[in-house]
Amino acid sequence: MSRNRVLVIGDGADALERVRSSLRDGDFEVVCATSGEEGLEVSARVCPDLVLIDLGLPGLDGRATCRALRSRPRTRRTPILVLAPLGSEADIVAGIGDGADDYLLKPVSPEIVLARCRVALRRWRADAPPDPVPLQVHELTIDPAGFVARVAGRRLELTVTEFKLLHHLAEHPGRVFTRYQLVDAVRGADCMVADRAVDGHLVGLRRKLGDYGHYVETVRGVGYRFRGV
């Protein structure tokens, strides 16, 4: 079984190094970053199972880093623990509001950090929804967990918006959606689309579907529906 990966974002202080050593001894894979900017770059590359952030980061501070992680699809649900100095109750409350799941007051023993990380991961697994089931419509396969769509075995190179539109329509075959309903269905931090732009996205989607572009049908004066026939 692969080890859980923890991203520790903080300076190179001795206390934080002891925390990192404790996590490694506790069978975690530890990845480090020394600033908020570096932490965001590393998180996009390694996709951590948990993030530990020191609020007193140089440059992009801990709160801003936490908000940025929460705005990204790959770390939107990742457990985040923050390390805060004693006497910073206001920062702690604000950090929780920014998306942190838990906090620890410094100085804190490495053993306590290890225990709280394990609890956060157990809680996350218990709350995690089941992986979405792939959709199969004739020659079209849509895998929302892998964010991949294939038609006749050929992988479609879709944008985020195109994939979300295709998945939403295919989940409700035969149902007609207005542009406004489609915008509401696919809107997110990683997918911003105006109602009139839906037409352009669906034109691009049908072009990429090729011979199977008829799966997505225009209902004149109303909107769009998925036929799959």
Side-chain angles (χ1 to χ4, degrees), residues 131-134 141-150 155-156 158 163 167:
D131 287 339
V133 178
T141 303
I142 306 170
D143 179 9
F147 223 76
V148 173
R150 290 183 171 85
R155 178 168 178 158
L156 301 175
L158 303 179
F163 182 90
H167 183 239

Side-chain angles (χ1 to χ4, degrees), residues 2-225:
S2 60
R3 295 185 297 168
N4 288 305
R5 179 179 296 138
V6 178
L7 169 60
V8 179
I9 308 176
D11 60 23
D14 291 344
L16 205 56
E17 181 54 42
R18 289 194 293 272
V19 167
R20 289 190 282 258
S21 296
S22 177
L23 290 169
R24 292 188 186 101
D25 292 343
D27 207 29
F28 282 93
E29 177 186 345
V30 179
V31 183
C32 302
T34 57
S35 69
E37 292 86 351
E38 183 185 7
L40 295 178
E41 186 276 325
V42 172
S43 71
R45 178 162 41 85
V46 305
C47 196
D49 299 297
L50 183 144
V51 181
L52 183 64
I53 303 175
D54 191 330
L55 285 184
L57 289 171
L60 191 70
D61 65 24
R63 289 187 55 193
T65 302
C66 185
R67 290 195 299 272
L69 288 169
R70 282 289 176 251
S71 72
R72 297 182 173 189
R74 297 184 71 180
T75 50
R76 186 172 297 151
R77 296 186 61 256
T78 302
I80 297 176
L81 278 64
V82 297
L83 290 167
L86 283 170
S88 60
E89 286 81 4
D91 286 336
I92 292 168
V93 172
I96 297 297
D98 291 329
D101 296 282
D102 200 357
Y103 67 90
L104 302 99
L105 290 175
K106 298 187 296 183
V108 61
S109 75
E111 292 75 17
I112 293 295
V113 176
L114 177 60
R116 298 281 276 273
C117 287
R118 286 172 171 163
V119 168
L121 282 170
R122 283 200 301 270
R123 186 184 303 125
W124 176 80
R125 291 193 185 98
D127 293 341
D131 287 339
V133 178
L135 296 177
Q136 182 74 47
V137 183
H138 303 300
E139 296 297 315
L140 175 65
T141 303
I142 306 170
D143 179 9
F147 223 76
V148 173
R150 290 183 171 85
V151 61
R154 172 176 60 88
R155 178 168 178 158
L156 301 175
E157 298 299 327
L158 303 179
T159 66
V160 171
T161 302
E162 289 168 349
F163 182 90
K164 287 189 171 185
L165 286 168
L166 176 62
H167 183 239
H168 183 72
L169 288 167
E171 277 190 310
H172 307 88
R175 178 178 172 183
V176 179
F177 290 92
T178 67
R179 294 183 182 91
Y180 297 106
Q181 288 173 324
L182 289 174
V183 168
D184 288 341
V186 305
R187 192 194 307 271
D190 57 344
C191 182
M192 300 300 293
V193 55
D195 61 295
R196 297 303 302 181
V198 167
D199 297 335
H201 289 296
L202 288 171
V203 167
L205 172 60
R206 282 192 285 222
R207 183 177 64 251
K208 293 177 182 180
L209 285 168
D211 293 339
Y212 301 88
H214 61 275
Y215 282 2
V216 178
E217 182 181 48
T218 300
V219 181
R220 293 191 180 279
V222 183
Y224 299 90
R225 68 181 167 200

